[in-house]
Each structure stands twice: as C-alpha cells, then as structure tokens.
Amino acid sequence: MSAHDDPALDTLLLPFADGMLRWPADGRVLFLHARDGWALRRFPLAGLVCEQGFKPFADALARTGLAVVAQAGGRFPLVLALPPRQRDEARALLARALDHLEPGGVLVACQSNLEGARSGEDDLDRLAGLAGNLSKHKCRVYWTRADALDAALHAQWRALDAPRPILDGRFVSRPGLFAWDRVDAASALLAARLPDELAGRGADLGAGWGWLAAEVLARCPRVTAIDLYEAQARALELARRNLAEARVPVGFHWHDVRAGLPARYDFIVSNPPFHQGRADEPRIGQDFIRAAAAALRPGGRLWLVANRHLPYESALREGFASARVVAERDGFKVIEALKA
C-alpha cells in the first residue's frame, strides 16, 4: 500500500487533526499494526513506537527512521490501532491494546468499511465503551477511554490470539493467518506431488505456520536441512513450535522474500501469496520466483503451486532452463522448474 494512499491511516488520525483528541504532550504513543503515511508525519514522532509483524511494512517504517518492534511492551497515554479483518484476531488486538493503555489514556482504532469497521466499533463498545467516533474515506475511526471495561470479556478476547491445537493436535495455529485451521488445497496438492528424491538443503518461501515444510521432511528422507522464510512474525512463531522436533536443522527467517534470499539451496518449495488486500497481485508470486531462481544452485529445482490463472510463465522463463506443469486440479497448478 502506498504511503500516500491509505484511507484507514488518514481516518485514524482525523480526530487529532480536527482537535477532537490531543496528541500526548510527552509524545509517547504506541501504534499497533502500524503503517507509515503522510498523515502520520503531521505529528511529533520522537516518542512513537510502531508494532508491526508484517516484514514489508516493518521495513518501510524502519526506513523512515521510526522505532519498530515485532512485539511491544509497556504502557502509553495513547494507543493507535489498525485492526485486521479477521474478527477473532481483531478482538484480540483490541483487548491487548487496552493492556498497553495508561490510566486515563485513549485507545483509537480505525478500519475500512469493507474490512469490518462497523463490527470493530461495536466490539470496542462492548469491551470498554465508546468515547467517540467519526466516518470518512469509507472508513470508521472510534475510540475509548476504557471507562466501562468488561473485565471478563477482556480476558476472553485477549485469549483469542493464543496458539491452539489444530489437525488432531499435530500442529498449533491461530486465527488471522492464511488457512490457519486447515491444510489449504493448494499446499496439499503441492505436497502430494513432491518427489521423494528431493535432497540436500532446501527452503520454503512463504512458509506460514510450517505445514508444507513438515511435509517435505516427512516425504523426502534425503533432505538434510530446510530454511523457512515468512513475512508474518505471528506465523513464524508457530512454525518454530511446529518444527521444534524436526529431524534436520531448520532455519526460521522473518524475511520479505521479495528482497532476495541470503543463502543458496538445492531445492525450494513455495505456495506464494497472491493477494494484496482484496485484489489479486501476481507480482508477489513473480518476485518469489525470481528470488528462488537467484538462490538455487545450478541444477536446483523449484516446486511451486499457484492459482491456474496467475501469469507466472514469463518469470519462470527468465530464471529457469525449463519449467513444466506437473499437475492441475481444483483451479491450482503445480510447477517444477529447473535451474540451468
């Protein structure tokens, strides 16, 4: 998302621009799910702490000189939040935001109408009571001073983000991640087509909570090491737990794959993301393919699954000596590409 085209961020800061709320005199502000943008630059930012677990957004914030953490601590007179669309994750974020609020402080949150703004506002009202709200840019900003905190509901919603067992207890996951409580059909198709002769050091790009990497190790006995690359810190934390007893060394990298990979590999597997918000964004997968081509050793192989309609062929031709569609089913295609 462009730093100059972020309606939710613009609307989040509207109560301060309009004089309805005041920026803390000491400048101490916590921003959960933080994003950078021109609207933020209208305020003193020396005391701003940005919590952002999505690596591309975290890198963008850090490049502008802001303080960025993957997990915040402490209490603040002002907490800003951009809750996600998934409701359990959003409720957990609101509950945790209140934990970071000083007595007498203000929590301000904003969502677009298409991302659950009305539900988010209703949830905060139930949780702590509303002190105000505004609508603009097809978004809603709403805030509380926590004068009417429901302690029982607060505890209940705080626990919604806790890792929980899935798939008969074989793995742990949490709401808000891609296919958080199931094996998605694309990854299942890719795993079923992987050859058992995959060997050496491999990588999983966009590894999520670790299911595909676990399948690689279960199906391919000659694999000697595997690195997981994942942009979502919340997912990578779970992957560490899910592969804690792996039979080979496993590396866990909070990393934006599009920036390139720091190591060389004999094989790479990937079910790359292809959405930016609600829109298809094939450039993400194309960048994953280019990163894989640069990181594979000569003769190395990329095993990729993608939606059938996504235009990845040109990126495959640029980086690989050959590529073939191994399987097609349920709207997905599995591709094997060979590095020259």
Side-chain angles (χ1 to χ4, degrees), residues 52-88:
Q52 178 52 259
F54 183 54
K55 196 64 165 69
F57 288 172
D59 288 346
L61 288 160
R63 281 194 297 269
T64 65
L66 294 173
V68 187
V69 297
Q71 186 73 44
R75 291 179 176 268
F76 298 78
L78 173 62
V79 177
L80 306 174
L82 294 171
R85 182 170 61 181
Q86 207 284 337
R87 198 165 189 185
D88 281 353

Side-chain angles (χ1 to χ4, degrees), residues 16 24 29 55 95 117 150 161 179 182 230 240 243 258-259 272 282 286-287 298 316 320 330 338 340:
F16 302 95
V29 179
K55 196 64 165 69
D150 185 327
D161 194 45
R182 67 191 187 280
E230 173 55 45
R240 289 180 184 275
L243 282 87
R258 297 173 300 174
Q286 292 163 355
D287 288 344
L316 289 164
F320 292 90
D330 301 328
L338 179 67

Side-chain angles (χ1 to χ4, degrees), residues 179-204:
W180 78 269
D181 59 350
R182 67 191 187 280
V183 178
D184 73 282
S187 293
L189 179 61
L190 175 57
R193 297 293 177 167
L194 290 177
D196 59 11
E197 69 264 19
L198 285 182
R201 184 183 183 187
D204 180 359

